[in-house]
Amino acid sequence: MRAVTRLKSLLNAVLAEKGLDWPEKANIEPPKDKKFGDLATNFAMIAAKPLGLKPRELAESLQKSLLAKDPSLEKVEVAGPGFLNVTFSPAFWRETVTEILEQKERYGTSGIGKGRKIQVEFVSANPTGPLHIGHGRGAAVGDCLARTLRAAGYDVSTEYYINDAGRQMRLLGLSTWTRYQELHGVAVTYPEDWYKGEYIIDLAKDLTALHGKTLLDMPEAEALAVCQSFSMNAILEGIKKDLRDFRVEHEVWFSEKSLVEAGAVERTLGDLKERGLAYDKDGALWFATEQFGDDKDRVLRKSTGELTYFASDIAYHDDKFKRGFDVTVDIWGADHHGYIPRMQAGVEALGKSRDSLRVILVQLVNLMRGGEQIAMSTRAGQFETLADVVAEVGVDAARFMFMSRKSDSPLDFDLELVKEKSMDNPVYYVQYAHARISSLFAKAAERGTPLAAEAAPETLAGLDTPEDLDLLRLLEQFPDVTAQAAQFFSPHAISYYLRDLAGQLHRYYAANPVLTAETPGLIQARMLLLKAVAVTLRNGLALLGVEAPEKM
RNA sequence: GCGCCAGUAGCUCAGUCGGAUAGAGCAACGGCCUUCUAAGCCGUCGGCCGAGGGUUCGAAUCCUUCCUGGCGCGCCA
């Protein structure tokens, strides 16, 4: 971050002298090949045209003025069609250690969010059964995204939308009621589309413990109501616990029912009608989403008088925007992707810009064991719950596995592989790097070699080998990685960075003795460097919600 | 039929707002523990980036036509 910022401001100064702005398409990034220096920019190729110059000519004149402007630049080369390849001095890179040790847990944070209010709504599973592994992926993605956005300077709020109104809740109540009657010897016929999982039987038993058989004497409607609210509350408590155990916190639990009961849905529908965006046809109320790019108009209220989910979803998003969020991010299972155009159309109809709603799709998780797929279905009642999976493989391994793919590709989650302590399962590789450093400091303390209090330039001067510089350069990139992860809503990039950093650390460790280095000064310099690595690893893992162990 | 996503090494995947010779891990093979954790390190092998066409100084990346796989297209939720 420091290097890019520095180079960019130098180039901007050149532009300012000529009264020009930074060209949109110009970029500065580390080149793939080290021999092209620390940073490469296509600046001259992009900027040459408006100046009426040839790219290479501009590059050559920049080369001279850059070197004259900043002593941190060791080398500036012109290459190919007009690339500028810039190499910073080792002293410049060593300042990274000082910076990290000063910023500590703030290293990797940035202000790119500019305090904008952003909401991340995720999981939001119907409270009709326990969370399964697919919800776990959504939970991990949403939680890591929220952490990443927060670190990037957004004002983030996390939320779980509870679908506690409507048909699914009635089915849940009916399912529990059926199991309850069955439990007490009443002959029952199983309803259609009911929840037949084991957990419903457990609910019926819990209900019995609380109420005995008294529900059998109630009017059926009343008994159903008791079953429904009891089941929902119990399941919701279970979901909350599962999420807490998975280190996922939602700040707001938003009830659909409360929205309906407060009349918010009716109000939103009324607004739409008034603005001519909703109309009656065939006895139903329709939302004119087609004019906002949807395939066709959608029903808000069925001819039966019942509201559709879409109606309350629109009212819910209306409510979100009224609460002042600049952007709301919804994390959905990929099977809902067909729903995006109509939601975006709806958001536009509400008077917001299309991109105030960002939908992140999370693809399917194939739960496997030893290469064989485990079938999952809430309805059929055969699934491994998130809680079961976490109990088996641990929070760290599960979260890291979820963050090791971009959310948009399907993920095979093999319980045997996730438990395995190999590079198939990189969480251990990264954690091991952190533990190694910690244990090295423990050993240093035993030997009476405490870490220097300050990372002064003269102390760090011994860091001048190629491995030192590789590590320093990688450390310096961490703030860029977190900023980009936030900008592109891709927290998985952090896990890839951490693997790289861990790899570089392991290489360094193998090649450079730290506590037995030639001179006391060099010992200090290397300890400070490794301390900076540990801080960066810890900060990165924190963004993923994974622990950085001292020992393994 | 229409739409969304994917197709990169034997396997699992990064890279995709155009950049220089396409990366990593696993697997396979060969090395490295009397010295800070071998859950590690080093090396070798491995590619027509699904196929064709286009755009340009430059394409895995953008456009287009196909092929293959997953998912979705209700007054379901």
Side-chain angles (χ1 to χ4, degrees):
Chain A
M1 186 67 102
R2 227 161 29 93
V4 172
T5 309
R6 176 78 65 98
L7 181 56
K8 188 164 181 178
S9 74
L10 289 170
L11 291 169
N12 261 324
V14 175
L15 283 175
E17 284 164 20
K18 313 203 189 250
L20 295 170
D21 288 329
W22 181 262
E24 191 69 19
K25 288 173 80 176
N27 61 38
I28 299 175
E29 53 191 22
K32 281 181 205 158
D33 195 323
K34 272 193 235 171
K35 76 177 184 212
F36 295 125
D38 297 331
L39 288 178
T41 177
N42 60 358
F43 176 84
M45 282 138 82
I46 307 286
K49 213 172 212 177
L51 292 169
L53 295 168
K54 288 185 180 160
R56 278 199 71 107
E57 283 173 15
L58 176 61
E60 276 158 23
S61 81
L62 284 170
Q63 179 186 23
K64 293 194 183 69
S65 57
L66 285 176
L67 281 169
K69 271 195 167 88
D70 193 335
S72 307
L73 299 179
E74 186 173 273
K75 202 164 63 174
V76 179
E77 289 174 321
V78 178
F83 286 104
L84 272 172
N85 295 332
V86 175
T87 304
F88 285 87
S89 68
F92 176 85
W93 292 114
R94 288 195 286 263
E95 289 165 21
T96 305
V97 172
T98 314
E99 186 190 12
I100 294 171
L101 297 184
E102 274 169 13
Q103 296 193 4
K104 298 196 185 74
E105 65 280 356
R106 282 181 299 113
Y107 186 62
T109 60
S110 69
I112 63 161
K114 298 180 180 143
R116 296 212 306 156
K117 276 186 64 133
I118 189 165
Q119 185 209 45
V120 183
E121 183 222 317
F122 61 111
V123 187
S124 300
N126 287 351
T128 55
L131 298 179
H132 57 64
I133 189 77
H135 298 125
R137 188 176 187 187
V141 169
D143 184 65
C144 294
L145 178 62
R147 291 170 193 244
T148 303
L149 290 171
R150 236 172 240 133
Y154 286 91
D155 178 2
V156 180
S157 173
T158 52
E159 188 155 317
Y160 187 118
Y161 181 58
I162 310 166
N163 290 119
D164 52 2
R167 181 165 176 270
Q168 296 307 313
M169 284 300 101
R170 285 199 303 278
L171 277 176
L172 174 67
L174 182 60
S175 303
T176 305
W177 174 232
T178 305
R179 289 298 196 191
Y180 178 89
Q181 292 178 98
E182 200 177 26
L183 196 64
H184 297 292
V186 178
V188 294
T189 47
Y190 297 132
E192 244 179 87
D193 289 337
W194 72 311
Y195 297 99
K196 48 192 153 197
E198 288 284 324
Y199 62 94
I200 300 288
I201 300 174
D202 293 338
L203 287 174
K205 285 180 186 160
D206 294 345
L207 203 52
T208 304
L210 203 61
H211 294 286
K213 292 184 174 186
T214 57
L215 266 60
L216 296 174
D217 305 324
M218 290 180 187
E220 188 163 37
E222 203 178 311
L224 274 169
V226 171
C227 285
Q228 181 176 326
S229 75
F230 177 84
S231 305
M232 193 203 84
N233 288 328
I235 289 173
L236 205 52
E237 283 315 307
I239 288 175
K240 287 182 180 181
K241 178 177 187 304
D242 290 351
L243 288 173
R244 270 198 309 275
D245 290 347
F246 198 46
R247 296 186 203 129
V248 172
E249 299 282 345
H250 289 85
E251 287 161 10
V252 179
W253 291 76
F254 194 99
S255 151
E256 178 190 10
K257 203 168 156 196
S258 74
L259 197 70
V260 176
E261 284 172 358
V265 179
E266 290 304 328
R267 254 196 315 282
T268 300
L269 298 194
D271 285 352
L272 291 173
K273 252 177 157 167
E274 212 165 285
R275 292 168 49 214
L277 295 171
Y279 60 91
D280 290 299
K281 192 182 92 178
D282 303 333
L285 180 67
W286 296 72
F287 189 0
T289 48
E290 191 175 344
Q291 58 181 287
F292 297 99
D294 196 4
D295 294 341
K296 55 178 198 171
D297 292 351
R298 306 288 172 176
V299 170
L300 291 166
R301 194 198 324 274
K302 303 183 226 175
S303 50
T304 59
E306 252 184 323
L307 293 170
T308 60
Y309 258 56
F310 185 48
S312 49
D313 283 347
I314 290 294
Y316 175 45
H317 282 77
D318 197 16
D319 182 87
K320 290 188 187 191
F321 293 123
K322 283 178 179 150
R323 279 187 271 158
F325 293 110
D326 298 306
V327 176
T328 170
V329 182
D330 289 8
I331 295 184
W332 296 350
D335 53 342
H336 288 73
H337 69 253
Y339 206 66
I340 296 177
R342 84 181 68 164
M343 268 319 289
Q344 280 183 327
V347 165
E348 257 191 304
L350 292 171
K352 303 298 287 188
S353 81
R354 264 188 127 61
D355 42 330
S356 342
L357 170 66
R358 293 286 302 260
V359 179
I360 308 243
L361 293 178
V362 176
Q363 278 284 0
L364 201 81
V365 179
N366 294 314
L367 188 62
M368 313 180 51
R369 186 182 289 282
E372 282 196 30
Q373 188 150 356
I374 303 174
M376 275 189 302
S377 158
T378 312
R379 285 280 170 77
Q382 41 165 211
F383 55 87
E384 298 255 352
T385 63
L386 175 61
D388 291 343
V389 170
V390 168
E392 183 166 344
V393 308
V395 178
D396 287 339
R399 290 188 65 125
F400 203 96
M401 175 55 69
F402 285 132
M403 297 320 291
S404 65
R405 290 274 183 293
K406 61 184 172 199
S407 60
D408 220 334
S409 36
L411 169 69
D412 289 342
F413 192 105
D414 193 312
L415 292 163
E416 298 307 321
L417 282 182
V418 175
K419 277 195 290 189
E420 204 170 285
K421 297 176 178 178
S422 74
M423 256 317 265
D424 268 342
N425 183 16
V427 63
Y428 294 107
Y429 187 74
V430 175
Q431 290 186 317
Y432 182 46
H434 185 269
R436 264 188 152 172
I437 297 172
S438 297
S439 99
L440 193 135
F441 285 127
K443 188 135 286 180
E446 275 171 33
R447 296 188 184 187
T449 320
L451 187 67
E454 254 187 282
E458 53 275 17
T459 314
L460 297 172
L463 303 175
D464 59 359
T465 65
E467 299 91 72
D468 286 317
L469 289 172
D470 283 346
L471 202 41
L472 288 166
R473 276 187 282 257
L474 197 52
L475 286 172
E476 191 269 347
Q477 284 174 24
F478 181 60
D480 298 282
V481 170
T482 56
Q484 278 197 32
Q487 191 187 343
F488 296 119
F489 296 83
S490 344
H492 76 278
I494 293 164
S495 79
Y496 282 92
Y497 172 81
L498 290 175
R499 288 189 216 190
D500 283 350
L501 182 57
Q504 200 69 252
L505 181 277
H506 289 309
R507 264 189 293 283
Y508 189 87
Y509 185 94
N512 301 279
V514 176
L515 301 180
T516 53
E518 292 85 3
T519 67
L522 194 55
I523 292 175
Q524 279 304 322
R526 288 183 177 169
M527 283 176 71
L528 287 164
L529 174 61
L530 292 206
K531 181 69 188 169
V533 174
V535 168
T536 306
L537 286 170
R538 175 177 286 276
N539 292 356
L541 287 169
L543 290 174
L544 302 182
V546 174
E547 283 176 349
E550 306 286 322
K551 259 188 217 172
M552 287 174 74

